[in-house]
Amino acid sequence: MPMTLKDEGPKVRVLFTGAVTFAENNEFRNLLKELRRRELSSCLFDLSELEMIDSAGLGMFLIAKEQADASGWKLSVEGATGHVQDMLKLTKLLELINQ
Amino acid sequence: MKLGLQPKSVIAEELAESLHSARILVVDDLSVMCKMIGLTLKKGGYTNVSFAYDGNEALEAIAVDMPDLVILDINMPRLNGYEVCRKLRSQPETAHLPILVQSAAETDAERVKVFEAGGTDFVSKPINLPEMLARVSMHLGNKFLIKSLSSFRERLQSELRLARDMQVELLPATNDIWRIQKKYSVTIDSFYRASSELGGDLWGFVEVSDTQLGVYLIDVVGHGVAAALNTFRVQALMTRLKALASDPSAFMTALNSALVDIFPTGQYATMFYGVLDTDADTLTWCGGAAPRPYLMTPGDSQQIQTIDTRGVPIGISRKPGYANLVTPFVKNQLLFAYSDVLLETPDIVGEILGEEGLRQLVQQVNSRAKCGQVLQETLRSFFEKTKSDLKDDLTAVSIFRSSEGIAFPALPDLENEQILIVSDGAMICSALTALKDDAFDAIHASDMDDVGRYLTDDSLVLSTVIFDLSVSGDHLDRWIKFILGHAHLALLPIVAVRDMSDSMNLGHLYNSGVTKVVEVNVKIAGLRRVLKTFARDHKLMINLKRDVEWRATGSQQISEGEFRFQSRAEAYDLARKLGTVTSDPVRVAIGLTELLVNAIEHGCFQIGASEKSRLIDQDRLDEELNVRHMRPEFRDRFATVKYTRGYDFIEFIITDPGEGFDYENQQSAFQNSSAAASGRGLMMADQLFTSLAYSGKGNIVIARIAFDGIQIT
């Protein structure tokens, strides 16, 4: 998946590349653990280089949203294109996550 | 090695117990060695040790009482250790028996020789007794753990199969589908294949009212036991929401509310729920991110309509905001819904169909589709291109609003049906020109070489063969055998034209495989009617064959059971479904079709042999069947087929409500006159099944297929 974290103080930016699927489950959980460690005010998931997402991947974003709400930081998802954008539109999850 | 089932200490205990009762065979020609090894093993806790003093004795002892491990000396007279090893490895029962070879094995070449002969491990010479004990213990331990793991796996497999059977039980039953078809004047086609793991697909109907039919497709994300368990939960919740079923958004909102609390974060299901209103001619629906269904008019080249299913999947949000959408759904239109496996399974070159690909495929299929065979043709194409295992369950459902009532299976259109006429007589030549019309094209063969050529021409799709007996009488048997013996010709109707004065025995003709005998002075119009019936039947069977071929490769959809059926349409449907659960689907489907249709025609509607023959002559068989179906004295009559599986056989028992016949007093049950008209069909059934027998008063048929111990999955 490689997810690269860019620190901008309390604002963090995560760049996703490749795919977010069931196979990337562990990596995603580690990312969430890492985010939990920090004192975040907001986190941006940059999906501009993400090519593929499956139902498990969408599930992981929902878990991230839950963690954001619980820990009091703002999650925003941006830059989705192609197939990933289609999936987010079909499931109306973009609005839900960015609320 | 962790099994993950029991705590380590329990495994260790079990291990210890089985190790010490393990049977060890020690083979050595020196009795002093045997004594020493025996004593050491005893000290190590092994109580079950036996001895053999040469190779032959060893092989005998192993044949009588299989040991768990063998300690084998190499240098023995008569039969040495290498030979014993090789012998043991060549037999399946001892192919994996742990053999510890006593060998000096000082050089690499010697070691290789031991392994090549099949030895599992060395015990060094001069013998190092503690080392030997350690190796014995290790090899026995491995064996035990492997066996434990295998039986755990076997149990898991059978539990998974049970769980999958339970999941299949949730899907609509055949009898319910037939009832719904009649009630709403629709033709329903469906297909479900579970993936190799347990999946989360669920689909079904809701009979909202006499004029409203609901259909839902749900895909619970994830695999395995968790997803499967969730399908049971969702099903249970839905049955409680029946009161809301006329309003898709209300239904889904309520279902969603219940699931949000049950599903953990990240767990959800995509859903489509639509209600067909046959009075208002509308489809009202609500979507939760399900793959987009299509609405179309089969046979039309217009753009197919994509149904918008944008919406939050169920189980995620407390405020999903579901809303109803409406679109016209009129007679002659078809709704096709499916699970996303259709979009996402890669083909041989690794490409997936994707939404655009599927839409184009369905568009193409639809423009060619006759009588709504959209699902069939789409899936056939899909399976042709994707040879891989399905990653997820495949569900597909089509609802076709037929304007003439139930059209399944649709009576095929006849166009350019090729009739092969074998004759050199004058009468036939004029028949050739007379027969040619929109439906038929006649091909003439006047000598026997021609016949062979036409029958083996792959580019020719024959509809019927007509033999003029005055020309081909002597060769008839041979040609019939040829036709019946070739899979692609075996279903071909055979008509024999004879002179009234001909002495050839009718019974003999029918028994050898002729479908129908006509007199030489038959009017062309009459012949054409007969040919039309046969041509349509033949096409139906060819379609059945193709249909069964692609539906059959996969897991079963019906477990043992008893099924009622009341019409020819239901007979065909059932024959197809039952055919697909056996490992010889085409054979069973075709054989069963004959038996089930016979049960309807003779048993339920009491159409006797001569009457059937007459109706065929007038091309009125279908019409008469439809009429009888509606008469009060026949309407409630039904036949049943009971299907049971044994380890190496499948059995179908077909019972019809007819009067039967005196089968015990016939030479062979199939030579009796009531079978004559269906002679060819029953003859085929006779050939297709391993055994066919009558029972009761002749209204019960027992058809069996025996396998050579091959288990049917």
Side-chain angles (χ1 to χ4, degrees):
Chain A
M1 159 161 73
M3 293 165 268
T4 23
L5 252 160
K6 278 195 189 136
D7 241 316
E8 284 150 33
K11 292 192 185 163
V12 167
R13 187 191 184 87
V14 182
L15 176 68
F16 290 84
T17 57
V20 175
T21 67
F22 185 69
E24 283 78 32
N25 195 4
N26 276 335
E27 233 185 302
F28 204 99
R29 285 191 192 282
N30 289 335
L31 170 69
L32 291 183
K33 244 188 253 170
E34 181 57 37
L35 293 177
R36 249 199 302 272
R37 276 195 329 112
R38 299 152 181 257
E39 298 260 333
L40 293 176
S41 69
S42 71
C43 179
L44 172 72
F45 283 0
D46 182 348
L47 306 186
S48 54
E49 288 177 38
L50 185 64
E51 284 161 8
M52 154 78 178
I53 191 165
D54 71 358
S55 51
L58 285 171
M60 291 186 239
F61 282 153
L62 291 171
I63 295 174
K65 169 75 175 149
E66 184 187 50
Q67 187 174 309
D69 289 345
S71 318
W73 50 269
K74 171 102 178 71
L75 170 66
S76 46
V77 172
E78 277 175 22
T81 59
H83 169 78
V84 177
Q85 187 181 43
D86 289 342
M87 285 290 270
L88 287 173
K89 276 197 177 145
L90 180 66
T91 55
K92 290 194 172 171
L93 285 183
L94 198 59
E95 298 124 64
L96 199 99
I97 295 174
N98 282 336
Q99 254 166 30
Chain B
M1 233 196 286
K2 266 211 318 216
L3 285 178
L5 262 191
Q6 300 156 306
K8 226 167 168 185
S9 54
V10 177
I11 298 179
E13 255 176 57
E14 279 182 16
L15 188 57
E17 257 175 57
S18 50
L19 285 197
H20 293 143
S21 59
R23 287 192 294 274
I24 304 181
L25 176 68
V26 180
V27 186
D28 201 310
D29 59 327
L30 292 175
S31 65
V32 67
M33 283 302 301
C34 284
K35 278 215 179 77
M36 230 170 40
I37 296 175
L39 218 62
T40 314
L41 289 173
K42 193 156 163 214
K43 280 215 198 105
Y46 296 103
T47 50
N48 202 341
V49 184
S50 47
F51 303 92
Y53 300 97
D54 75 23
N56 289 316
E57 244 186 82
L59 289 174
E60 269 171 42
I62 291 170
V64 163
D65 190 12
M66 180 75 74
D68 293 309
L69 182 138
V70 177
I71 300 176
L72 179 66
D73 185 22
I74 289 290
N75 295 315
M76 294 186 293
R78 287 181 290 281
L79 197 67
N80 69 37
Y82 292 123
E83 280 157 28
V84 173
C85 250
R86 266 179 232 122
K87 190 83 209 282
L88 290 173
R89 289 311 179 218
S90 70
Q91 295 162 337
E93 318 85 66
T94 45
H96 302 291
L97 177 61
I99 303 175
L100 302 195
V101 174
Q102 281 188 69
S103 164
E106 274 160 1
T107 64
D108 282 343
E110 277 163 16
R111 286 182 206 276
V112 168
K113 199 164 174 201
V114 167
F115 285 127
E116 271 179 350
T120 314
D121 201 0
F122 290 99
V123 174
S124 55
K125 231 175 174 162
I127 199 150
N128 177 333
L129 293 168
E131 186 205 333
M132 182 200 75
L133 261 186
R135 286 184 194 269
V136 166
S137 156
M138 182 190 81
H139 286 290
L140 283 177
N142 279 351
K143 192 175 179 205
F144 168 78
L145 289 170
I146 288 172
K147 217 177 96 184
S148 209
L149 198 62
S150 298
S151 53
F152 168 66
R153 256 195 79 210
E154 256 172 55
R155 224 186 57 225
L156 199 62
Q157 300 267 53
S158 64
E159 279 176 14
L160 277 181
R161 235 176 284 134
L162 198 67
R164 204 173 316 135
D165 280 353
M166 283 174 66
Q167 268 197 307
V168 170
E169 295 278 308
L170 294 180
L171 305 180
T174 301
N175 284 102
D176 288 331
I177 291 187
W178 292 341
R179 188 172 42 76
I180 287 174
Q181 288 187 147
K182 285 193 193 106
K183 187 169 171 186
Y184 301 96
S185 287
V186 289
T187 302
I188 293 169
D189 198 0
S190 68
F191 181 78
Y192 171 74
R193 182 177 296 172
S195 66
S196 48
E197 309 174 24
L198 287 177
D201 268 20
L202 182 61
W203 75 273
F205 293 106
V206 184
E207 292 172 70
V208 179
S209 73
D210 284 345
T211 54
Q212 291 169 300
L213 175 66
V215 59
Y216 57 86
L217 264 85
I218 297 176
D219 186 351
V220 179
V221 300
H223 292 289
V225 177
L229 281 178
N230 280 324
T231 60
F232 291 116
R233 275 171 156 170
V234 172
Q235 170 77 294
L237 284 169
M238 284 198 303
T239 50
R240 285 193 256 152
L241 299 174
K242 281 259 166 77
L244 300 170
S246 61
D247 182 338
S249 64
F251 188 79
M252 277 179 62
T253 303
L255 181 59
N256 174 72
S257 301
L259 287 175
V260 165
D261 291 327
I262 297 178
F263 282 174
T265 309
Q267 177 69 54
Y268 58 89
T270 60
M271 178 167 178
F272 164 77
Y273 178 53
V275 175
L276 156 65
D277 188 322
T278 55
D279 262 356
D281 286 340
T282 54
L283 173 72
T284 307
W285 81 93
C286 184
R292 290 175 257 250
Y294 299 112
L295 196 55
M296 64 205 83
T297 306
D300 205 296
S301 55
Q302 262 189 6
Q303 276 282 356
I304 62 180
Q305 185 186 343
T306 309
I307 300 291
D308 180 5
T309 51
R310 276 174 300 177
V312 184
I314 53 176
I316 295 178
S317 161
R318 292 195 189 280
K319 288 205 283 240
Y322 295 128
N324 285 326
L325 290 172
V326 188
T327 194
F329 185 1
V330 304
K331 292 207 174 94
N332 272 327
Q333 279 193 309
L334 179 148
L335 176 70
F336 175 58
Y338 53 91
S339 60
D340 59 8
V341 142
L342 219 51
L343 304 169
E344 293 172 2
T345 307
D347 62 17
I348 329 177
V349 291
E351 279 177 23
I352 60 173
L353 255 183
E355 281 187 30
E356 190 47 37
L358 178 65
R359 203 192 55 79
Q360 280 177 16
L361 172 61
V362 175
Q363 176 80 47
Q364 271 173 34
V365 164
N366 179 61
S367 54
R368 294 187 313 248
K370 298 216 168 125
C371 311
Q373 285 167 337
V374 170
L375 184 148
Q376 184 178 329
E377 293 305 315
T378 303
L379 289 185
R380 242 170 46 93
S381 183
F382 172 75
F383 283 118
E384 257 163 41
K385 298 202 188 111
T386 59
K387 305 290 185 188
S388 58
D389 268 339
L390 298 176
K391 279 184 302 171
D392 207 343
D393 295 354
L394 173 59
T395 298
V397 183
S398 74
I399 302 175
F400 177 45
R401 292 198 65 190
S402 18
S403 53
E404 307 112 18
I406 306 309
F408 179 83
L411 285 181
D413 287 336
L414 299 179
E415 45 183 6
N416 281 326
E417 305 306 316
Q418 304 291 321
I419 313 284
L420 176 63
I421 304 180
V422 181
S423 167
D424 63 1
M427 167 269 187
I428 295 297
C429 289
S430 63
L432 268 178
T433 17
L435 268 181
K436 280 193 173 107
D437 68 2
D438 289 333
F440 296 119
D441 211 358
I443 305 170
H444 182 211
S446 54
D447 72 53
M448 294 303 128
D449 290 331
D450 272 350
V451 180
R453 209 168 19 95
Y454 287 124
L455 286 180
T456 51
D457 183 350
D458 280 337
S459 64
L460 201 53
V461 178
L462 290 173
S463 183
T464 307
V465 183
I466 304 179
F467 284 101
D468 179 354
L469 285 179
S470 59
V471 171
S472 44
D474 297 333
H475 303 272
L476 188 63
D477 270 344
R478 189 167 64 109
W479 285 120
I480 295 180
K481 277 206 177 68
F482 182 87
I483 289 170
L484 294 178
H486 285 74
H488 69 286
L489 293 174
L491 296 171
L492 201 55
I494 300 173
V495 174
V497 179
R498 71 164 192 169
D499 204 300
M500 278 272 266
S501 57
D502 207 323
S503 57
M504 195 175 270
N505 185 269
L506 257 184
H508 168 79
L509 281 172
Y510 281 125
N511 281 329
S512 46
V514 168
T515 318
K516 173 94 178 161
V517 179
V518 298
E519 301 302 330
V520 73
N521 48 16
V522 69
K523 296 218 171 61
I524 284 302
L527 181 60
R528 214 189 255 139
R529 279 195 293 265
V530 167
L531 292 175
K532 277 207 165 119
T533 307
F534 287 158
R536 276 201 297 263
D537 269 353
H538 184 227
K539 258 188 148 163
L540 264 175
M541 288 304 236
I542 298 291
N543 284 342
L544 173 68
K545 196 169 163 239
R546 281 169 89 214
D547 207 15
V548 166
E549 274 164 353
W550 71 262
R551 285 185 200 253
T553 49
S555 49
Q556 64 167 67
Q557 295 174 47
I558 299 181
S559 40
E560 303 178 338
E562 189 159 327
F563 304 88
R564 280 189 181 188
F565 57 107
Q566 287 184 288
S567 69
R568 254 193 359 169
E570 291 176 5
Y572 281 116
D573 197 27
L574 210 42
R576 188 197 72 184
K577 289 205 164 103
L578 289 173
T580 59
V581 302
T582 69
S583 59
D584 205 342
V586 175
R587 199 174 104 176
V588 170
I590 292 176
L592 263 187
T593 301
E594 292 298 332
L595 297 176
L596 299 184
V597 167
N598 214 46
I600 293 294
E601 290 172 353
H602 292 309
C604 287
F605 295 141
Q606 299 187 311
I607 296 179
S610 44
E611 192 179 358
K612 179 170 175 179
S613 199
R614 201 172 22 91
L615 287 168
I616 289 179
D617 284 340
Q618 299 162 350
D619 188 24
R620 280 189 43 231
L621 181 57
D622 288 318
E623 183 195 310
E624 184 60 25
L625 285 171
N626 286 333
V627 161
R628 287 213 190 182
H629 194 36
M630 296 191 279
R631 277 162 51 177
E633 66 266 37
F634 292 119
R635 204 167 35 211
D636 296 324
R637 285 161 75 92
F638 60 88
T640 59
V641 53
K642 185 160 170 242
Y643 157 55
T644 29
R645 284 190 313 191
Y647 175 68
D648 59 355
F649 72 89
I650 301 173
E651 187 177 82
F652 300 100
I653 301 181
I654 301 128
T655 307
D656 73 60
E659 294 312 307
F661 65 99
D662 191 4
Y663 61 94
E664 274 169 5
N665 284 328
Q666 309 294 329
Q667 265 187 345
S668 144
F670 300 98
Q671 281 172 13
N672 78 81
S673 57
S674 73
S678 325
R680 173 73 179 284
L682 290 180
M683 198 187 98
M684 268 185 2
D686 194 28
Q687 287 180 344
L688 293 168
F689 288 102
T690 311
S691 72
L692 207 50
Y694 283 109
S695 171
K697 25 175 198 173
N699 62 332
I700 301 179
V701 179
I702 304 166
R704 254 193 179 221
I705 295 196
F707 298 93
D708 311 316
I710 304 162
Q711 202 148 39
I712 312 133
T713 47

